[in-house]
Amino acid sequence: MTSTLFPAVRRSPNFTPVLLFVNACGSFLLLVSLSTRVGSATGSGLLAGAVLSAPWLPALLLAHPLNRLLRRHPPEHLVRAAEAASLVLTLAALAAPGRALAAVATVLVLARGFCEALTRSATSVALRAAVDPGRLERANTLAEIGKLTGVSLGAALAGPAAAVLPLRGLVAVNAALLALSALLAWALPSPAGNTRANTTAGTDRTGGTDGEAAGGAGEDAEGGRLRVTDPVLRRLFARFLLVAFWQGFHTVAVTVIPLQVLGGGTRLVGVFVAVSSVAVFAGSLTALPAQRHLGHLPSAAWALAPMPFLATAVLAGRTAPTLVLYALFLVLFEVAYVHFNNRLLAAATTEQLPAVVTLRATLLPLGVVVSILLTGALCDLAGPLPTALAVAAVSVLVTASTSTSGQTWRSPVRDT
């Protein structure tokens, strides 16, 4: 069937960014619209936030089944199955009666969360298997840009679309986009006989082979346990979760800084949100040409580079300087995310990769939630400036604790 839909010459991993763009755009168009409707109908910000967080929950609860699927089935097959399942669930929701549609749509985004986590994780495994190691970082970065662009566009269109379409119409639009992403899933190649994933992409930071990098993790890999015992990967995961900590702070700061630091109102919050969205998107685009240089500096540099801009943005306390400095913080924030994400995917051995992408799909949102709670409470108790300084201090401590003497973690993969 794959050869009928897409001839071999047209099956390419280059379809991955487009697939992720279409998938994320439709999902966030419906998700943000549904969250707004729930918040307006109930007057509860907590319920609105719960709807936005709903897709994260299945991946957290079903991490072990996700890991087993990634280990036992070809990744391109998993992407096709996940997109088809999402489409079937969305079409089924269209049959719900009018009064029950909002409740059904809420359950829909919760149930589809596992499918979306499976799509994102399996596409990472598929890229690793199908892309030449020399171009893996570029492929992963393009995939991240595709996903982020879809998230940004879907969220931006949610308001205008909800103004002209009823909820059933939004569900139908989401179904149409899922049909397109399901077709794109059939364009992904089957990396049968591809041995690239077993060569240089699995080399660890110290130059060891795959077997050496596993360092005692072989039993866990064979048993399918959701564990990473390689110390290099553990350190990279710590820094990757540091980025999740920044994301949680940003979720709080995007409201707190314009209101409490700048003394503005809801209009300034809207400006701050818009500038932040542009800055994060610009950071993902900046990471693409920067791939040639990201590995030339120690990994610690990318963990610490955003912090001076964050601290000075809050210390400035004036609208224009704070907006500019905070935007620069977010640009470097996104570059750091791309850097550590690429390092994780490149450093993992073939046996470790399913566990790595599963933990990424579960620990990243968990880290964001914990960070939101901690930084939100600290903002309430001490204010934005001490919170920003605490974020910088945590970044320094995590970076120092995950450093090794004489180890710069330079990239073993070069973009050509």
Side-chain angles (χ1 to χ4, degrees):
M1 184 174 180
T2 305
S3 60
T4 303
L5 288 174
F6 293 94
V9 70
R10 299 185 61 188
R11 293 200 305 272
S12 168
N14 294 331
F15 284 102
T16 302
V18 184
L19 187 157
L20 292 174
F21 166 79
V22 173
N23 176 280
C25 183
S27 295
F28 273 80
L29 173 66
L30 178 61
L31 186 63
V32 174
S33 300
L34 186 61
S35 174
T36 302
R37 287 172 184 265
V38 169
S40 299
T42 63
S44 171
L46 178 61
L47 287 177
V51 172
L52 282 175
S53 303
W56 294 350
L57 187 59
L60 290 172
L61 297 178
L62 301 173
H64 287 282
L66 176 61
N67 184 41
R68 286 195 292 269
L69 285 172
L70 291 169
R71 290 185 180 280
R72 297 176 182 178
H73 300 280
E76 69 280 4
H77 293 176
L78 293 176
V79 176
R80 293 163 192 164
E83 293 303 287
S86 292
L87 177 58
V88 170
L89 288 171
T90 306
L91 290 174
L94 284 174
R99 292 183 177 181
L101 183 58
V104 171
T106 303
V107 175
L108 166 68
V109 298
L110 179 63
R112 266 184 20 197
F114 183 78
C115 296
E116 292 169 4
L118 183 57
T119 291
R120 290 191 296 270
S121 300
T123 51
S124 295
V125 178
L127 282 176
R128 169 70 174 269
V131 175
D132 183 84
R135 300 191 64 82
L136 183 59
E137 288 191 359
R138 179 178 176 84
N140 287 330
T141 303
L142 285 171
E144 170 64 18
I145 291 173
K147 182 191 73 174
L148 182 62
T149 305
V151 169
S152 302
L153 183 61
L157 292 177
V164 297
L165 290 174
L167 181 57
R168 194 176 301 277
L170 294 171
V171 176
V173 170
N174 189 199
L177 290 173
L178 280 170
L180 178 57
S181 64
L183 286 174
L184 288 167
W186 283 98
L188 297 180
S190 299
N194 191 333
T195 60
R196 292 171 181 157
N198 298 318
T199 57
T200 59
T203 305
D204 75 356
R205 291 294 165 271
T206 61
T209 63
D210 280 359
E212 293 166 347
E219 181 180 351
D220 292 332
E222 292 172 4
R225 298 178 186 175
L226 193 55
R227 293 182 59 191
V228 173
T229 57
D230 176 15
V232 172
L233 285 176
R234 283 178 176 268
R235 292 193 293 269
L236 283 170
F237 250 119
R239 293 186 178 180
F240 188 68
L241 291 177
L242 178 61
V243 179
F245 186 72
W246 298 343
Q247 174 63 52
F249 168 77
H250 170 61
T251 304
V252 174
V254 77
T255 301
V256 171
I257 289 179
L259 292 179
Q260 297 185 21
V261 176
L262 302 179
T266 55
R267 183 176 181 181
L268 185 56
V269 172
V271 172
F272 212 84
V273 170
V275 171
S276 298
S277 299
V278 172
V280 172
F281 182 62
S284 68
L285 293 179
T286 301
L288 185 59
Q291 287 302 306
R292 294 179 179 272
H293 310 289
L294 291 181
H296 295 167
L297 292 176
S299 178
W302 301 109
L304 298 177
M307 292 303 104
F309 294 98
L310 171 60
T312 52
V314 180
L315 284 169
R318 291 181 295 167
T319 302
T322 296
L323 278 171
V324 171
L325 289 167
Y326 195 81
L328 290 173
F329 158 69
L330 290 176
V331 169
L332 291 172
F333 163 11
E334 183 63 22
V335 172
Y337 171 83
V338 170
H339 173 66
F340 292 126
N341 182 58
N342 287 346
R343 295 279 53 75
L344 273 174
L345 297 177
T349 66
T350 304
E351 292 77 14
Q352 293 168 331
L353 189 59
V356 166
V357 296
T358 301
L359 288 170
R360 183 187 63 174
T362 54
L363 293 181
L364 183 64
L366 182 61
V368 172
V369 170
V370 172
S371 176
I372 289 173
L373 295 175
L374 292 178
T375 57
L378 187 56
C379 272
D380 290 343
L381 294 173
L385 179 57
T387 304
L389 295 178
V391 171
V394 168
S395 300
V396 172
L397 289 174
V398 171
T399 302
S401 66
T402 54
S403 296
T404 55
S405 59
Q407 178 60 273
T408 61
W409 292 357
R410 296 183 186 275
S411 169
V413 182
R414 293 289 181 265
D415 185 21
T416 56

